Structures are given as C-alpha cells and as structure tokens.
Amino acid sequence: GAGVSQSPSNKVTEKGKDVELRCDPISGHTALYWYRQSLGQGLEFLIYFQGNSAPDKSGLPSDRFSAERTGGSVSTLTIQRTQQEDSAVYLCASSLSAGGPNEQFFGPGTRLTVL
Amino acid sequence: AQSVAQPEDQVNVAEGNPLTVKCTYSVSGNPYLFWYVQYPNRGLQFLLKYITGDNLVKGSYGFEAEFNKSQTSFHLKKPSALVSDSALYFCAVSPLLKDLIFGKGTTLSVSS
C-alpha cells in the first residue's frame, strides 16, 4: 500500500520568505509527527498530532513555525520568514495512534535550503 | 527524563563478521524500544521493536536486538554483516502518547 508521502521533495527559498511543507500520512493512521534532521545531527522532534489536535507543540523552535492537520489526514508545516538555520531535512511520520508500541512510518523528507 | 544514548558515532566491521550497534536508554516505566535505519538520501525505515516478552527481538534484513533490563540496553545485532548494511542506525524510545525520542545515530560501515 501507499506509504507516507511528502512534498515538495526539495525546496530552495530565500531568507525571509514563507514556506509550506506537506505531509500525506498512511491512510487510517491517526497520529502524525514532524521531525527535523540537520546535517550531521540526529532527529529533532517538532510536533505531533493525534487526529487534528496537537497535544505537544513544545518542539517547535520558534513562533515562526506552525503546523496544522485537517480531516485527520494531510498536514502542513509552515515556516514564516525563513532563516538560514532553518535549512534541514523535514521528516514526517505517521502511526496507528500516538506513542506506545506503535512504530512510526516515515516519509522521504523535504530538503529545505534557505539561501 | 526519557533519553536514549548511542555511545558510538561510527562502527566499522568487515563483511561476514558479526556486528553490534549499542544503545542504552533511560525511561520511567516499561520501555517501548525501536531501531530504525536510514540509507543514504532516503527516509527512515523501521527495523524492529521491543514491547514486552522475549528479550531477543527479530526484525527486518536479518537484524535482531537484545533487550537487557538490568543494563538498560537494547543493542542491535546481526550475525553476519553485509556491505549493503552500511547505513545510519537510530535507536529510539517511545513514551506513552508522545513522539519517539531518538539517539544521535550510529553510522555503520561494512567493508568488503
């Protein structure tokens, strides 16, 4: 079956511009997660959704970052007024429900480059 | 606080030899532990998980992991390494109703 998809696969933008990253989870998965992976770094948790609700936004690096999920499906991560330090690979994952024993399935990521 | 440690940034092993990638954890309560692999320019793939029961967990591609509660470890193992196993490996722990907490990753390099 179809896995987690993300678009775009690559995004190059200029400093100060806004960007939107999209994630389409596996059908039937109620939990959706966003992570950031910087070059040479591990994975940094950003936010997760259970259904359309985001119980934990503590990982968002600043108020320039926001995310929403509608219809319990697609999610968008928006970065406003991008900075060069936002350059990273943004990974989305989904699971049957949040946490516990449920493994997460990851998309291929969106590579964001801020010039 | 929940945390995961991967003490080795890189592990080098010759093809055909056994491999071990180390992981230790700190959690409150019963741990749910995972291993993921990331091949170059690709997303993370689930390898295996420990929930409860048998301390030896078998997963994809011939990998297995041993849960050791007294040592709070969950080391990834494979009896005979392949060059194609070369990748970045992440250990992770899952607190209830939350995200995965990942280790920093260990690069496995298998030489022919």
Side-chain angles (χ1 to χ4, degrees), chain A residues 33 35 37 42-43 45 48 56 91 98-104 106-107 111, chain B residues 32 34 36 38 43-44 46 49 51 90 94-100 102 104:
Chain A
Y33 311 79
Y35 296 87
Q37 186 176 26
L43 285 92
F45 165 74
Y48 87 98
D56 186 353
L91 294 170
N102 300 301
E103 61 264 35
Q104 296 180 17
F106 283 79
R111 182 175 297 277
Chain B
Y32 301 117
F34 301 80
Y36 285 82
Q38 186 175 34
L44 275 77
F46 168 76
K49 67 181 177 182
I51 302 173
F90 290 97
S94 176
L96 189 63
L97 295 179
K98 208 178 179 299
D99 58 296
L100 282 172
F102 286 89
K104 294 196 171 185

PDB file of all heavy atoms in Angstrom, chain A residues 33 35 37 42-43 45 48 56 91 98-104 106-107 111, chain B residues 32 34 36 38 43-44 46 49 51 90 94-100 102 104:
ATOM      1  N   TYR A  33       3.504  12.985  12.845  1.00  0.00           N
ATOM      2  CA  TYR A  33       4.643  13.610  13.528  1.00  0.00           C
ATOM      3  C   TYR A  33       5.488  14.386  12.523  1.00  0.00           C
ATOM      4  O   TYR A  33       5.638  13.968  11.376  1.00  0.00           O
ATOM      5  CB  TYR A  33       5.546  12.549  14.166  1.00  0.00           C
ATOM      6  CG  TYR A  33       4.838  11.524  15.003  1.00  0.00           C
ATOM      7  CD1 TYR A  33       4.167  10.465  14.410  1.00  0.00           C
ATOM      8  CD2 TYR A  33       4.864  11.598  16.397  1.00  0.00           C
ATOM      9  CE1 TYR A  33       3.519   9.505  15.172  1.00  0.00           C
ATOM     10  CE2 TYR A  33       4.227  10.642  17.162  1.00  0.00           C
ATOM     11  CZ  TYR A  33       3.553   9.602  16.544  1.00  0.00           C
ATOM     12  OH  TYR A  33       2.921   8.655  17.304  1.00  0.00           O
ATOM     13  N   TYR A  35       9.470  15.919  12.267  1.00  0.00           N
ATOM     14  CA  TYR A  35      10.825  15.956  12.827  1.00  0.00           C
ATOM     15  C   TYR A  35      11.701  16.789  11.883  1.00  0.00           C
ATOM     16  O   TYR A  35      11.368  16.987  10.716  1.00  0.00           O
ATOM     17  CB  TYR A  35      11.435  14.549  12.912  1.00  0.00           C
ATOM     18  CG  TYR A  35      10.742  13.586  13.848  1.00  0.00           C
ATOM     19  CD1 TYR A  35       9.673  12.815  13.417  1.00  0.00           C
ATOM     20  CD2 TYR A  35      11.177  13.437  15.155  1.00  0.00           C
ATOM     21  CE1 TYR A  35       9.053  11.912  14.258  1.00  0.00           C
ATOM     22  CE2 TYR A  35      10.562  12.532  16.015  1.00  0.00           C
ATOM     23  CZ  TYR A  35       9.500  11.779  15.552  1.00  0.00           C
ATOM     24  OH  TYR A  35       8.893  10.888  16.404  1.00  0.00           O
ATOM     25  N   GLN A  37      15.822  17.056  10.657  1.00  0.00           N
ATOM     26  CA  GLN A  37      17.135  16.421  10.675  1.00  0.00           C
ATOM     27  C   GLN A  37      18.130  17.355   9.999  1.00  0.00           C
ATOM     28  O   GLN A  37      18.080  17.553   8.789  1.00  0.00           O
ATOM     29  CB  GLN A  37      17.101  15.064   9.975  1.00  0.00           C
ATOM     30  CG  GLN A  37      18.405  14.286  10.092  1.00  0.00           C
ATOM     31  CD  GLN A  37      18.303  12.901   9.470  1.00  0.00           C
ATOM     32  OE1 GLN A  37      17.504  12.660   8.561  1.00  0.00           O
ATOM     33  NE2 GLN A  37      19.096  11.963   9.961  1.00  0.00           N
ATOM     34  N   GLY A  42      21.157  14.475  14.754  1.00  0.00           N
ATOM     35  CA  GLY A  42      20.111  13.469  14.873  1.00  0.00           C
ATOM     36  C   GLY A  42      18.770  14.057  14.511  1.00  0.00           C
ATOM     37  O   GLY A  42      18.671  15.092  13.850  1.00  0.00           O
ATOM     38  N   LEU A  43      17.741  13.393  14.939  1.00  0.00           N
ATOM     39  CA  LEU A  43      16.380  13.838  14.634  1.00  0.00           C
ATOM     40  C   LEU A  43      15.830  14.674  15.784  1.00  0.00           C
ATOM     41  O   LEU A  43      15.893  14.275  16.936  1.00  0.00           O
ATOM     42  CB  LEU A  43      15.473  12.642  14.394  1.00  0.00           C
ATOM     43  CG  LEU A  43      15.668  11.969  13.054  1.00  0.00           C
ATOM     44  CD1 LEU A  43      16.660  10.841  13.153  1.00  0.00           C
ATOM     45  CD2 LEU A  43      14.343  11.477  12.508  1.00  0.00           C
ATOM     46  N   PHE A  45      12.510  16.377  17.333  1.00  0.00           N
ATOM     47  CA  PHE A  45      11.053  16.365  17.320  1.00  0.00           C
ATOM     48  C   PHE A  45      10.519  17.790  17.242  1.00  0.00           C
ATOM     49  O   PHE A  45      10.993  18.682  17.948  1.00  0.00           O
ATOM     50  CB  PHE A  45      10.544  15.674  18.580  1.00  0.00           C
ATOM     51  CG  PHE A  45       9.090  15.902  18.871  1.00  0.00           C
ATOM     52  CD1 PHE A  45       8.119  15.263  18.113  1.00  0.00           C
ATOM     53  CD2 PHE A  45       8.686  16.743  19.896  1.00  0.00           C
ATOM     54  CE1 PHE A  45       6.776  15.463  18.381  1.00  0.00           C
ATOM     55  CE2 PHE A  45       7.351  16.943  20.167  1.00  0.00           C
ATOM     56  CZ  PHE A  45       6.389  16.303  19.413  1.00  0.00           C
ATOM     57  N   TYR A  48       3.539  16.793  17.170  1.00  0.00           N
ATOM     58  CA  TYR A  48       2.775  15.646  16.726  1.00  0.00           C
ATOM     59  C   TYR A  48       1.286  15.941  16.834  1.00  0.00           C
ATOM     60  O   TYR A  48       0.861  16.803  17.603  1.00  0.00           O
ATOM     61  CB  TYR A  48       3.173  14.377  17.487  1.00  0.00           C
ATOM     62  CG  TYR A  48       2.438  14.134  18.796  1.00  0.00           C
ATOM     63  CD1 TYR A  48       1.341  13.267  18.856  1.00  0.00           C
ATOM     64  CD2 TYR A  48       2.886  14.721  19.978  1.00  0.00           C
ATOM     65  CE1 TYR A  48       0.709  13.024  20.058  1.00  0.00           C
ATOM     66  CE2 TYR A  48       2.248  14.481  21.176  1.00  0.00           C
ATOM     67  CZ  TYR A  48       1.163  13.619  21.217  1.00  0.00           C
ATOM     68  OH  TYR A  48       0.520  13.366  22.417  1.00  0.00           O
ATOM     69  N   ASP A  56       1.175  18.437  21.820  1.00  0.00           N
ATOM     70  CA  ASP A  56       2.516  18.835  22.238  1.00  0.00           C
ATOM     71  C   ASP A  56       3.190  19.621  21.123  1.00  0.00           C
ATOM     72  O   ASP A  56       3.569  19.060  20.110  1.00  0.00           O
ATOM     73  CB  ASP A  56       3.352  17.595  22.599  1.00  0.00           C
ATOM     74  CG  ASP A  56       4.710  17.956  23.181  1.00  0.00           C
ATOM     75  OD1 ASP A  56       5.070  19.156  23.194  1.00  0.00           O
ATOM     76  OD2 ASP A  56       5.418  17.041  23.627  1.00  0.00           O
ATOM     77  N   LEU A  91      11.190  15.754   8.154  1.00  0.00           N
ATOM     78  CA  LEU A  91      10.632  14.415   8.023  1.00  0.00           C
ATOM     79  C   LEU A  91       9.261  14.355   8.670  1.00  0.00           C
ATOM     80  O   LEU A  91       9.044  14.898   9.751  1.00  0.00           O
ATOM     81  CB  LEU A  91      11.540  13.386   8.693  1.00  0.00           C
ATOM     82  CG  LEU A  91      12.920  13.180   8.063  1.00  0.00           C
ATOM     83  CD1 LEU A  91      13.794  12.327   8.958  1.00  0.00           C
ATOM     84  CD2 LEU A  91      12.784  12.530   6.698  1.00  0.00           C
ATOM     85  N   ALA A  98      -0.842   7.543  18.630  1.00  0.00           N
ATOM     86  CA  ALA A  98       0.373   8.198  19.116  1.00  0.00           C
ATOM     87  C   ALA A  98       1.073   7.385  20.194  1.00  0.00           C
ATOM     88  O   ALA A  98       0.445   6.909  21.126  1.00  0.00           O
ATOM     89  CB  ALA A  98       0.025   9.581  19.662  1.00  0.00           C
ATOM     90  N   GLY A  99       2.369   7.282  20.035  1.00  0.00           N
ATOM     91  CA  GLY A  99       3.228   6.748  21.079  1.00  0.00           C
ATOM     92  C   GLY A  99       3.028   5.281  21.379  1.00  0.00           C
ATOM     93  O   GLY A  99       2.466   4.531  20.582  1.00  0.00           O
ATOM     94  N   GLY A 100       3.516   4.875  22.549  1.00  0.00           N
ATOM     95  CA  GLY A 100       3.386   3.494  22.967  1.00  0.00           C
ATOM     96  C   GLY A 100       4.098   2.558  22.026  1.00  0.00           C
ATOM     97  O   GLY A 100       5.169   2.866  21.517  1.00  0.00           O
ATOM     98  N   PRO A 101       3.505   1.392  21.759  1.00  0.00           N
ATOM     99  CA  PRO A 101       4.200   0.373  20.972  1.00  0.00           C
ATOM    100  C   PRO A 101       4.075   0.557  19.462  1.00  0.00           C
ATOM    101  O   PRO A 101       4.572  -0.270  18.709  1.00  0.00           O
ATOM    102  CB  PRO A 101       3.482  -0.904  21.399  1.00  0.00           C
ATOM    103  CG  PRO A 101       2.088  -0.455  21.701  1.00  0.00           C
ATOM    104  CD  PRO A 101       2.223   0.927  22.289  1.00  0.00           C
ATOM    105  N   ASN A 102       3.435   1.602  19.014  1.00  0.00           N
ATOM    106  CA  ASN A 102       3.188   1.746  17.578  1.00  0.00           C
ATOM    107  C   ASN A 102       4.399   2.320  16.859  1.00  0.00           C
ATOM    108  O   ASN A 102       4.834   3.429  17.155  1.00  0.00           O
ATOM    109  CB  ASN A 102       1.996   2.666  17.348  1.00  0.00           C
ATOM    110  CG  ASN A 102       0.732   2.133  17.980  1.00  0.00           C
ATOM    111  OD1 ASN A 102       0.294   1.031  17.640  1.00  0.00           O
ATOM    112  ND2 ASN A 102       0.160   2.886  18.898  1.00  0.00           N
ATOM    113  N   GLU A 103       4.904   1.558  15.896  1.00  0.00           N
ATOM    114  CA  GLU A 103       6.038   2.090  15.149  1.00  0.00           C
ATOM    115  C   GLU A 103       5.572   3.194  14.211  1.00  0.00           C
ATOM    116  O   GLU A 103       4.431   3.218  13.761  1.00  0.00           O
ATOM    117  CB  GLU A 103       6.752   0.992  14.346  1.00  0.00           C
ATOM    118  CG  GLU A 103       5.899   0.303  13.308  1.00  0.00           C
ATOM    119  CD  GLU A 103       5.304  -0.980  13.848  1.00  0.00           C
ATOM    120  OE1 GLU A 103       4.972  -1.045  15.053  1.00  0.00           O
ATOM    121  OE2 GLU A 103       5.155  -1.937  13.060  1.00  0.00           O
ATOM    122  N   GLN A 104       6.470   4.108  13.960  1.00  0.00           N
ATOM    123  CA  GLN A 104       6.183   5.209  13.053  1.00  0.00           C
ATOM    124  C   GLN A 104       6.745   4.880  11.672  1.00  0.00           C
ATOM    125  O   GLN A 104       7.813   4.302  11.543  1.00  0.00           O
ATOM    126  CB  GLN A 104       6.805   6.503  13.587  1.00  0.00           C
ATOM    127  CG  GLN A 104       6.196   6.948  14.909  1.00  0.00           C
ATOM    128  CD  GLN A 104       6.807   8.215  15.444  1.00  0.00           C
ATOM    129  OE1 GLN A 104       7.471   8.968  14.731  1.00  0.00           O
ATOM    130  NE2 GLN A 104       6.597   8.471  16.722  1.00  0.00           N
ATOM    131  N   PHE A 106       7.957   6.573   8.183  1.00  0.00           N
ATOM    132  CA  PHE A 106       8.485   7.865   7.767  1.00  0.00           C
ATOM    133  C   PHE A 106       8.344   8.090   6.272  1.00  0.00           C
ATOM    134  O   PHE A 106       8.464   7.165   5.464  1.00  0.00           O
ATOM    135  CB  PHE A 106       9.963   7.990   8.148  1.00  0.00           C
ATOM    136  CG  PHE A 106      10.180   8.266   9.600  1.00  0.00           C
ATOM    137  CD1 PHE A 106      10.096   7.247  10.536  1.00  0.00           C
ATOM    138  CD2 PHE A 106      10.434   9.556  10.044  1.00  0.00           C
ATOM    139  CE1 PHE A 106      10.278   7.510  11.888  1.00  0.00           C
ATOM    140  CE2 PHE A 106      10.626   9.824  11.392  1.00  0.00           C
ATOM    141  CZ  PHE A 106      10.547   8.803  12.315  1.00  0.00           C
ATOM    142  N   GLY A 107       8.117   9.348   5.923  1.00  0.00           N
ATOM    143  CA  GLY A 107       8.176   9.748   4.531  1.00  0.00           C
ATOM    144  C   GLY A 107       9.619  10.005   4.114  1.00  0.00           C
ATOM    145  O   GLY A 107      10.535   9.947   4.935  1.00  0.00           O
ATOM    146  N   ARG A 111      13.796  18.369   1.699  1.00  0.00           N
ATOM    147  CA  ARG A 111      15.068  19.048   1.951  1.00  0.00           C
ATOM    148  C   ARG A 111      14.869  20.532   1.715  1.00  0.00           C
ATOM    149  O   ARG A 111      14.595  20.955   0.579  1.00  0.00           O
ATOM    150  CB  ARG A 111      16.168  18.515   1.045  1.00  0.00           C
ATOM    151  CG  ARG A 111      17.542  19.152   1.302  1.00  0.00           C
ATOM    152  CD  ARG A 111      18.623  18.496   0.452  1.00  0.00           C
ATOM    153  NE  ARG A 111      18.783  17.089   0.785  1.00  0.00           N
ATOM    154  CZ  ARG A 111      19.509  16.625   1.777  1.00  0.00           C
ATOM    155  NH1 ARG A 111      20.181  17.468   2.559  1.00  0.00           N
ATOM    156  NH2 ARG A 111      19.594  15.328   1.994  1.00  0.00           N
TER     157      ARG A 111
ATOM    158  N   TYR B  32       9.191   1.074  25.521  1.00  0.00           N
ATOM    159  CA  TYR B  32       8.979   0.613  24.159  1.00  0.00           C
ATOM    160  C   TYR B  32      10.189   1.086  23.375  1.00  0.00           C
ATOM    161  O   TYR B  32      10.446   2.281  23.295  1.00  0.00           O
ATOM    162  CB  TYR B  32       7.702   1.201  23.568  1.00  0.00           C
ATOM    163  CG  TYR B  32       6.455   0.854  24.348  1.00  0.00           C
ATOM    164  CD1 TYR B  32       5.691   1.849  24.949  1.00  0.00           C
ATOM    165  CD2 TYR B  32       6.042  -0.472  24.480  1.00  0.00           C
ATOM    166  CE1 TYR B  32       4.552   1.536  25.655  1.00  0.00           C
ATOM    167  CE2 TYR B  32       4.900  -0.777  25.184  1.00  0.00           C
ATOM    168  CZ  TYR B  32       4.160   0.220  25.781  1.00  0.00           C
ATOM    169  OH  TYR B  32       3.040  -0.095  26.478  1.00  0.00           O
ATOM    170  N   PHE B  34      12.838   0.907  19.898  1.00  0.00           N
ATOM    171  CA  PHE B  34      12.800   0.741  18.449  1.00  0.00           C
ATOM    172  C   PHE B  34      14.200   0.911  17.866  1.00  0.00           C
ATOM    173  O   PHE B  34      15.036   1.634  18.414  1.00  0.00           O
ATOM    174  CB  PHE B  34      11.900   1.809  17.802  1.00  0.00           C
ATOM    175  CG  PHE B  34      10.476   1.788  18.275  1.00  0.00           C
ATOM    176  CD1 PHE B  34      10.124   2.366  19.483  1.00  0.00           C
ATOM    177  CD2 PHE B  34       9.479   1.205  17.498  1.00  0.00           C
ATOM    178  CE1 PHE B  34       8.816   2.354  19.925  1.00  0.00           C
ATOM    179  CE2 PHE B  34       8.167   1.195  17.926  1.00  0.00           C
ATOM    180  CZ  PHE B  34       7.838   1.769  19.137  1.00  0.00           C
ATOM    181  N   TYR B  36      15.658   2.002  13.947  1.00  0.00           N
ATOM    182  CA  TYR B  36      15.383   2.453  12.590  1.00  0.00           C
ATOM    183  C   TYR B  36      16.703   2.526  11.826  1.00  0.00           C
ATOM    184  O   TYR B  36      17.767   2.744  12.410  1.00  0.00           O
ATOM    185  CB  TYR B  36      14.737   3.836  12.592  1.00  0.00           C
ATOM    186  CG  TYR B  36      13.291   3.859  13.002  1.00  0.00           C
ATOM    187  CD1 TYR B  36      12.924   3.854  14.343  1.00  0.00           C
ATOM    188  CD2 TYR B  36      12.280   3.882  12.047  1.00  0.00           C
ATOM    189  CE1 TYR B  36      11.601   3.868  14.725  1.00  0.00           C
ATOM    190  CE2 TYR B  36      10.941   3.904  12.421  1.00  0.00           C
ATOM    191  CZ  TYR B  36      10.613   3.898  13.746  1.00  0.00           C
ATOM    192  OH  TYR B  36       9.304   3.910  14.117  1.00  0.00           O
ATOM    193  N   GLN B  38      18.544   4.338   8.286  1.00  0.00           N
ATOM    194  CA  GLN B  38      18.422   5.365   7.242  1.00  0.00           C
ATOM    195  C   GLN B  38      19.533   5.145   6.227  1.00  0.00           C
ATOM    196  O   GLN B  38      20.717   5.345   6.530  1.00  0.00           O
ATOM    197  CB  GLN B  38      18.515   6.764   7.839  1.00  0.00           C
ATOM    198  CG  GLN B  38      18.244   7.873   6.834  1.00  0.00           C
ATOM    199  CD  GLN B  38      18.220   9.234   7.495  1.00  0.00           C
ATOM    200  OE1 GLN B  38      18.944   9.502   8.449  1.00  0.00           O
ATOM    201  NE2 GLN B  38      17.370  10.113   6.985  1.00  0.00           N
ATOM    202  N   GLY B  43      14.521   8.020   3.500  1.00  0.00           N
ATOM    203  CA  GLY B  43      13.883   8.197   4.802  1.00  0.00           C
ATOM    204  C   GLY B  43      14.215   7.071   5.755  1.00  0.00           C
ATOM    205  O   GLY B  43      14.886   6.109   5.405  1.00  0.00           O
ATOM    206  N   LEU B  44      13.733   7.200   6.962  1.00  0.00           N
ATOM    207  CA  LEU B  44      13.962   6.174   7.973  1.00  0.00           C
ATOM    208  C   LEU B  44      13.056   4.979   7.739  1.00  0.00           C
ATOM    209  O   LEU B  44      11.876   5.124   7.413  1.00  0.00           O
ATOM    210  CB  LEU B  44      13.685   6.729   9.368  1.00  0.00           C
ATOM    211  CG  LEU B  44      14.835   7.459  10.042  1.00  0.00           C
ATOM    212  CD1 LEU B  44      14.985   8.837   9.451  1.00  0.00           C
ATOM    213  CD2 LEU B  44      14.599   7.538  11.546  1.00  0.00           C
ATOM    214  N   PHE B  46      11.713   1.363   9.561  1.00  0.00           N
ATOM    215  CA  PHE B  46      11.566   0.610  10.801  1.00  0.00           C
ATOM    216  C   PHE B  46      12.251  -0.744  10.657  1.00  0.00           C
ATOM    217  O   PHE B  46      12.083  -1.433   9.653  1.00  0.00           O
ATOM    218  CB  PHE B  46      10.076   0.439  11.082  1.00  0.00           C
ATOM    219  CG  PHE B  46       9.749  -0.549  12.152  1.00  0.00           C
ATOM    220  CD1 PHE B  46       9.932  -0.239  13.480  1.00  0.00           C
ATOM    221  CD2 PHE B  46       9.256  -1.800  11.822  1.00  0.00           C
ATOM    222  CE1 PHE B  46       9.624  -1.154  14.474  1.00  0.00           C
ATOM    223  CE2 PHE B  46       8.939  -2.725  12.794  1.00  0.00           C
ATOM    224  CZ  PHE B  46       9.123  -2.405  14.123  1.00  0.00           C
ATOM    225  N   LYS B  49      11.181  -3.710  16.982  1.00  0.00           N
ATOM    226  CA  LYS B  49      10.772  -3.057  18.212  1.00  0.00           C
ATOM    227  C   LYS B  49      10.656  -4.072  19.346  1.00  0.00           C
ATOM    228  O   LYS B  49      10.432  -5.267  19.110  1.00  0.00           O
ATOM    229  CB  LYS B  49       9.435  -2.340  18.036  1.00  0.00           C
ATOM    230  CG  LYS B  49       8.245  -3.268  17.794  1.00  0.00           C
ATOM    231  CD  LYS B  49       6.957  -2.463  17.609  1.00  0.00           C
ATOM    232  CE  LYS B  49       5.770  -3.378  17.304  1.00  0.00           C
ATOM    233  NZ  LYS B  49       4.525  -2.608  17.067  1.00  0.00           N
ATOM    234  N   ILE B  51       8.440  -4.597  22.804  1.00  0.00           N
ATOM    235  CA  ILE B  51       7.306  -4.136  23.603  1.00  0.00           C
ATOM    236  C   ILE B  51       7.319  -4.848  24.950  1.00  0.00           C
ATOM    237  O   ILE B  51       7.353  -4.229  26.009  1.00  0.00           O
ATOM    238  CB  ILE B  51       5.972  -4.388  22.879  1.00  0.00           C
ATOM    239  CG1 ILE B  51       5.968  -3.677  21.526  1.00  0.00           C
ATOM    240  CG2 ILE B  51       4.794  -3.939  23.726  1.00  0.00           C
ATOM    241  CD1 ILE B  51       4.761  -3.999  20.675  1.00  0.00           C
ATOM    242  N   PHE B  90      19.441   4.345  14.010  1.00  0.00           N
ATOM    243  CA  PHE B  90      18.914   5.105  15.132  1.00  0.00           C
ATOM    244  C   PHE B  90      18.175   4.182  16.088  1.00  0.00           C
ATOM    245  O   PHE B  90      17.317   3.401  15.676  1.00  0.00           O
ATOM    246  CB  PHE B  90      17.937   6.185  14.651  1.00  0.00           C
ATOM    247  CG  PHE B  90      18.559   7.324  13.919  1.00  0.00           C
ATOM    248  CD1 PHE B  90      18.577   7.334  12.531  1.00  0.00           C
ATOM    249  CD2 PHE B  90      19.119   8.387  14.599  1.00  0.00           C
ATOM    250  CE1 PHE B  90      19.143   8.393  11.833  1.00  0.00           C
ATOM    251  CE2 PHE B  90      19.684   9.448  13.916  1.00  0.00           C
ATOM    252  CZ  PHE B  90      19.698   9.445  12.528  1.00  0.00           C
ATOM    253  N   SER B  94       9.858   5.196  23.006  1.00  0.00           N
ATOM    254  CA  SER B  94       8.557   5.822  22.832  1.00  0.00           C
ATOM    255  C   SER B  94       7.853   5.990  24.163  1.00  0.00           C
ATOM    256  O   SER B  94       7.341   5.011  24.714  1.00  0.00           O
ATOM    257  CB  SER B  94       7.687   4.979  21.906  1.00  0.00           C
ATOM    258  OG  SER B  94       6.389   5.520  21.809  1.00  0.00           O
ATOM    259  N   PRO B  95       7.817   7.203  24.672  1.00  0.00           N
ATOM    260  CA  PRO B  95       6.975   7.456  25.831  1.00  0.00           C
ATOM    261  C   PRO B  95       5.507   7.303  25.453  1.00  0.00           C
ATOM    262  O   PRO B  95       5.153   7.510  24.305  1.00  0.00           O
ATOM    263  CB  PRO B  95       7.297   8.906  26.204  1.00  0.00           C
ATOM    264  CG  PRO B  95       8.514   9.265  25.433  1.00  0.00           C
ATOM    265  CD  PRO B  95       8.511   8.401  24.207  1.00  0.00           C
ATOM    266  N   LEU B  96       4.693   6.987  26.380  1.00  0.00           N
ATOM    267  CA  LEU B  96       3.296   6.787  26.053  1.00  0.00           C
ATOM    268  C   LEU B  96       2.682   8.074  25.547  1.00  0.00           C
ATOM    269  O   LEU B  96       2.888   9.142  26.084  1.00  0.00           O
ATOM    270  CB  LEU B  96       2.543   6.311  27.303  1.00  0.00           C
ATOM    271  CG  LEU B  96       1.114   5.848  27.070  1.00  0.00           C
ATOM    272  CD1 LEU B  96       1.088   4.636  26.151  1.00  0.00           C
ATOM    273  CD2 LEU B  96       0.453   5.522  28.399  1.00  0.00           C
ATOM    274  N   LEU B  97       1.914   7.965  24.484  1.00  0.00           N
ATOM    275  CA  LEU B  97       1.173   9.087  23.904  1.00  0.00           C
ATOM    276  C   LEU B  97       2.071  10.258  23.537  1.00  0.00           C
ATOM    277  O   LEU B  97       1.743  11.400  23.779  1.00  0.00           O
ATOM    278  CB  LEU B  97       0.075   9.566  24.871  1.00  0.00           C
ATOM    279  CG  LEU B  97      -1.032   8.564  25.142  1.00  0.00           C
ATOM    280  CD1 LEU B  97      -2.042   9.113  26.118  1.00  0.00           C
ATOM    281  CD2 LEU B  97      -1.728   8.171  23.840  1.00  0.00           C
ATOM    282  N   LYS B  98       3.200   9.939  22.960  1.00  0.00           N
ATOM    283  CA  LYS B  98       4.079  11.041  22.571  1.00  0.00           C
ATOM    284  C   LYS B  98       4.928  10.609  21.380  1.00  0.00           C
ATOM    285  O   LYS B  98       4.687   9.607  20.764  1.00  0.00           O
ATOM    286  CB  LYS B  98       4.939  11.462  23.752  1.00  0.00           C
ATOM    287  CG  LYS B  98       5.360  12.923  23.719  1.00  0.00           C
ATOM    288  CD  LYS B  98       6.167  13.287  24.940  1.00  0.00           C
ATOM    289  CE  LYS B  98       6.630  14.717  24.925  1.00  0.00           C
ATOM    290  NZ  LYS B  98       7.490  15.009  23.775  1.00  0.00           N
ATOM    291  N   ASP B  99       5.915  11.420  21.118  1.00  0.00           N
ATOM    292  CA  ASP B  99       6.780  11.166  19.973  1.00  0.00           C
ATOM    293  C   ASP B  99       7.803  10.085  20.296  1.00  0.00           C
ATOM    294  O   ASP B  99       7.848   9.554  21.385  1.00  0.00           O
ATOM    295  CB  ASP B  99       7.520  12.454  19.634  1.00  0.00           C
ATOM    296  CG  ASP B  99       8.316  12.921  20.850  1.00  0.00           C
ATOM    297  OD1 ASP B  99       7.699  13.248  21.875  1.00  0.00           O
ATOM    298  OD2 ASP B  99       9.548  12.938  20.773  1.00  0.00           O
ATOM    299  N   LEU B 100       8.633   9.806  19.320  1.00  0.00           N
ATOM    300  CA  LEU B 100       9.801   8.968  19.538  1.00  0.00           C
ATOM    301  C   LEU B 100      10.965   9.854  19.965  1.00  0.00           C
ATOM    302  O   LEU B 100      11.173  10.923  19.404  1.00  0.00           O
ATOM    303  CB  LEU B 100      10.188   8.238  18.256  1.00  0.00           C
ATOM    304  CG  LEU B 100       9.360   7.010  17.863  1.00  0.00           C
ATOM    305  CD1 LEU B 100       9.747   6.535  16.474  1.00  0.00           C
ATOM    306  CD2 LEU B 100       9.560   5.904  18.874  1.00  0.00           C
ATOM    307  N   PHE B 102      14.830   9.916  19.856  1.00  0.00           N
ATOM    308  CA  PHE B 102      15.881   9.223  19.119  1.00  0.00           C
ATOM    309  C   PHE B 102      17.248   9.441  19.743  1.00  0.00           C
ATOM    310  O   PHE B 102      17.539  10.505  20.301  1.00  0.00           O
ATOM    311  CB  PHE B 102      15.938   9.738  17.675  1.00  0.00           C
ATOM    312  CG  PHE B 102      14.823   9.255  16.797  1.00  0.00           C
ATOM    313  CD1 PHE B 102      13.636   9.948  16.708  1.00  0.00           C
ATOM    314  CD2 PHE B 102      14.965   8.094  16.048  1.00  0.00           C
ATOM    315  CE1 PHE B 102      12.607   9.499  15.891  1.00  0.00           C
ATOM    316  CE2 PHE B 102      13.949   7.641  15.233  1.00  0.00           C
ATOM    317  CZ  PHE B 102      12.767   8.345  15.154  1.00  0.00           C
ATOM    318  N   LYS B 104      21.365   9.753  18.803  1.00  0.00           N
ATOM    319  CA  LYS B 104      22.005  10.607  17.794  1.00  0.00           C
ATOM    320  C   LYS B 104      22.411   9.846  16.544  1.00  0.00           C
ATOM    321  O   LYS B 104      22.837  10.451  15.564  1.00  0.00           O
ATOM    322  CB  LYS B 104      23.216  11.306  18.403  1.00  0.00           C
ATOM    323  CG  LYS B 104      22.838  12.300  19.483  1.00  0.00           C
ATOM    324  CD  LYS B 104      23.959  13.258  19.806  1.00  0.00           C
ATOM    325  CE  LYS B 104      23.441  14.354  20.728  1.00  0.00           C
ATOM    326  NZ  LYS B 104      24.454  15.384  20.988  1.00  0.00           N
TER     327      LYS B 104
END
